[in-house]
Amino acid sequence: MKNVIILICLIFSGVYVAAQTTPGVYTVKNLDINTKESDFGTAFLGKDKVIFAAPTTNTMIVKKTWKENGQQFLDLYTGLITDDRQVIQKKRMPGDVNTKYHEAGVAVSKDLKTIYYTANNFYEKKYLTDSSGVNNLQLFRASLSVDGKWTEKEKLPFNHVEYSIGHPALNHEDNKLYFVSDMPGGYGQTDIYVVDIKEDGSFGNIRNLGPRVNTEGREMFPYIGKDNILYFSSDGHPGYGKLDVFASKIFDTTVSVPLNLEEPVNSIEDDFAFIIDDDKDRGFFSSNRDEGKGDDDIYSFLADPGLHIYCGQDITVNVRSEATGEIVAGATIELRNESGEVIETVTAGPDGSYTFDLTLCDTPYTVFATNKGFLNAEQTIRTVNDIDQAPYIVNLNLPAQFVSNKVNINTIYFDFDKYNIRPDAAKELDKVVQVMNEYPELLIEAGSHTDSRGKDKYNMKLSEKRAKATVDYIVSKGIDASRITYQGYGETQLVNECANGVKCSSEAHQLNRRTEFKIANESGFELVPSPQE
């Protein structure tokens, strides 16, 4: 930036691309509202408006030029976004945010009632300079009044007269404020920092984003997009020259290596103040490239396709026998998505394990394992929201198929006064289907029970309905109806003390509303599964 960025912002005074990571493809255009001086630094004001910095048009104040470059001081303006990515209806922001000095760099809360912005250290008619006579930049906060004006202007408490703080950005929850400063203790000329915003509007401790983002040079103009993507400008990371726009994803405890957005967003000149409406894949950035209209110009863009930063974590599955702890070599393992769809089916190695490579970070999966002679086992997990992490370890222990003379499944439970098959029950009934498919000679009796609430005769009929519902489900999965019988026992076989007249909790009563599966031909049945297909 020939003038404003070099003079105002200097007061603050090999890119690794993972698999499937792409900076996106952008179509850009220069805005008609740009002037021959500096216009830059857009911020969304809702979905159809922007705030930006531009030379003042107010001639009522005597001194409106900046002695360092002879240009007018910057004020904050609003404009309406058109369908063809132009900005029209330029209006000076109402209220007391604009002064006779510089205002620029805005962040807007999601409710559109609070803004954070950068301005010269001029407050309550006091123009303050540091020990060397420099008027540093400061962060301010203002609120929208009932009459549509930005008032209740206040300086943020962590401003300091001896260094600059500016370029605010809010995360999507409005509980973290990112900003730029040349405060002591940083990594370079200017660094990006973050501070928590508490519910009462106060602030936590300031934290530097660290050396993966910050360099010995200048890191500036942060913006937080969808999925916690940090966009910022830097002249310290490898790029096209001067300030380039980069993107990093902020995870729980880590941040990805900055990714250069490449041309046409970046040029050999200064490119900065990138913002994006992720829902519409459009946005704005600023640049002082040669083809512009003036000093710094605002450009709109359309992203198609947009940026994607890949994060993956391996999932290692170990399969063992629940009863003996021995390795189950050759077990079939499935990786399923949140909807239950099978993503990949593999066979465990001789050590009973398999590793699914680079599954998505911060994503729910279900790991499912089966093997002849065992019941199935599954576990639902969520990968970490961090990069460069060790594999997620899943230990699946396959249960024995039988215990005593019963199929070894979790008890089938029913809701009070109901006999429909719940989703959790269906998973257990699928195990019965598995066993019956493996042992063609096996005959099963389904016995259903109720709790003690209600009349004995009614409960007997209810238990019969529950037993029949379980059998109907199993038959619907292809098991011959002649191989499974059912019996209702009502409340005659309670598993606890919750009999008639005994006060029990809902959880205790639930234990009695169950179905169990016994081997009906145990004396003539041999535990030899059907041959492997």
Side-chain angles (χ1 to χ4, degrees), residues 81-100:
I81 305 172
T82 66
D83 291 338
D84 62 348
R85 309 196 319 274
Q86 288 288 347
V87 174
I88 60 174
Q89 299 181 16
K90 175 182 175 182
K91 296 179 181 179
R92 194 168 183 264
M93 284 187 68
D96 58 9
V97 294
N98 287 317
T99 68
K100 62 182 180 180

Side-chain angles (χ1 to χ4, degrees), residues 446-457:
S448 291
H449 309 263
T450 70
D451 61 37
S452 62
R453 292 176 293 182
K455 295 183 179 181
D456 294 357
K457 186 176 181 181

